[in-house]
Amino acid sequence: MTRIVVVGSINMDLVTQAARFVGPGETILGERFLTVPGGKGANQAVAAARLGATVALVGATGDDAFGRQLRQGLAAENIDLSHTIELGDCASGTASITVAEGENQIIVVPAANARVTPTQVERAQDLIARADAVLVQMEIPLETVEATLRLGHRLEVPVILNPAPAQKLPTNWLKLARYVTPNQHELAILLGADSTEDFRALMRQAPCPVVLTRGAEGAWYREQGEPSHQSGFQVDVVDSTGAGDTFNAALAVFLREGLAAAVRKACAAAALSVGKLGAQGGMPQLHEVEDLLARSN
Ligand code: RIB
């Protein structure tokens, strides 16, 4: 069985569905409110587990009602939480999300996620050494992201860096990642480049292999030479929150099948994930991905 370690955030998502986004100083009536589990780290862990991987999550929650609910949800997905700490003097992370017009807007308050330390990653060394791949995103301290990249590199375990939310990162960090998985906007920020520059040109400039997500248009990927394209799978979108997380998880789970096959399966999994409200609501089981791929052949 594929073993995945995720180093990342755990949030409670406070989701409001509305007909449109609200402007500054404006009040409108929404249609629906939901409190559902999220956080890029937790989402990637859940997506990988549903795709059949054995998953461990290195992260943190507060010792509060949200934290208890989030831990229960993760445990119910069979995720190993032995390296997820519970902080008594801290709130759990939250994300205030508005879903409208087929898009989303998100404000994350990291809270406990801001206290996921490099030491915690070092303590998970045995687990990481046995992993087939490690996933890390940027809702935790950057020093912890760096520690994860360095440890994975030292242990020769592929680390997939999902640079979201994006910040410019040192070139030598990017070289430690097996794959970096931005969207077009994140790639420009990551490289400190102009966002109007052609994304294929930016992919060629990157100091590491890039898998670039393009929403409904699928993904582009490049190890060396010219970038290749994988088309997206057409579906009705209810909520795109968590689609990127599903993509990253699937990429990690199927990486051993080769990059092109993994990107195709990741596009299929991400397409299935947008059919239900909530980041984890639509994340597919393995057989659903296989069915979609079989129907699309
Ligand atoms: O990627 C989606 C996630 O981003 C949401 O679940 C939210 O918690 C934010 O972290």
Side-chain angles (χ1 to χ4, degrees):
M1 198 183 256
T2 306
R3 283 172 297 214
I4 303 291
V5 175
V6 183
V7 181
S9 58
I10 306 169
N11 294 333
M12 188 58 85
D13 288 356
L14 313 174
V15 185
T16 302
Q17 201 174 22
R20 65 174 176 87
F21 293 105
V22 70
E26 191 188 12
T27 302
I28 61 168
L29 297 183
E31 292 166 352
R32 200 170 164 199
F33 177 77
L34 286 175
T35 307
V36 287
K40 293 187 191 304
N43 291 345
Q44 293 182 15
V46 168
R50 289 193 192 163
L51 293 172
T54 299
V55 184
L57 176 59
V58 180
T61 64
D63 177 18
D64 54 10
F66 281 167
R68 282 186 285 281
Q69 214 178 316
L70 290 165
R71 296 176 80 91
Q72 273 169 19
L74 290 162
E77 300 276 355
N78 294 317
I79 292 162
D80 174 357
L81 298 178
S82 55
H83 291 272
T84 294
I85 56 172
E86 193 173 45
L87 297 164
D89 57 346
C90 190
S92 296
T94 52
S96 301
I97 304 180
T98 306
V99 178
E101 304 162 33
E103 302 276 352
N104 62 42
Q105 285 180 340
I106 306 181
I107 301 176
V108 173
V109 177
N113 298 305
R115 289 173 49 188
V116 180
T117 61
T119 307
Q120 241 180 293
V121 176
E122 287 296 334
R123 286 199 185 119
Q125 174 163 339
D126 289 351
L127 212 55
I128 290 174
R130 293 194 305 272
D132 294 291
V134 174
L135 282 157
V136 63
Q137 328 75 32
M138 293 183 12
E139 288 182 340
I140 54 172
L142 284 187
E143 58 182 1
T144 308
V145 175
E146 182 188 11
T148 306
L149 288 164
R150 291 200 183 284
L151 184 61
H153 194 256
R154 178 155 56 85
L155 297 173
E156 298 181 9
V157 176
V159 180
I160 297 176
L161 169 63
N162 176 214
Q167 294 185 42
K168 183 166 173 7
L169 290 184
T171 303
N172 61 332
W173 291 24
L174 298 178
K175 285 183 180 163
L176 299 171
R178 182 69 189 87
Y179 295 104
V180 178
T181 58
N183 61 26
Q184 183 171 355
H185 166 75
E186 289 160 353
L187 179 61
I189 296 176
L190 195 64
L191 300 178
D194 188 336
S195 61
T196 59
E197 207 174 320
D198 178 65
F199 67 85
R200 280 156 291 217
L202 290 177
M203 287 176 79
R204 281 184 226 106
Q205 281 165 37
C208 52
V210 173
V211 180
L212 181 125
T213 53
R214 298 267 296 164
E217 288 172 35
W220 287 77
Y221 52 99
R222 175 185 184 269
E223 303 229 44
Q224 47 198 314
E226 284 307 299
S228 305
H229 182 233
Q230 166 64 54
S231 301
F233 293 78
Q234 298 317 307
V235 286
D236 291 334
V237 179
V238 175
D239 179 6
S240 60
T241 313
D245 297 326
T246 308
F247 181 94
N248 276 274
L251 186 70
V253 170
F254 300 117
L255 203 52
R256 287 192 300 190
E257 299 179 19
L259 185 58
V263 170
R264 181 164 183 265
K265 289 190 172 181
C267 284
L272 290 165
S273 76
V274 304
K276 292 191 186 139
L277 196 59
Q280 296 173 15
M283 284 175 177
Q285 304 285 336
L286 179 58
H287 69 88
E288 296 176 276
V289 176
E290 287 169 345
D291 286 352
L292 176 59
L293 290 166
R295 287 200 304 275
S296 310
N297 270 335

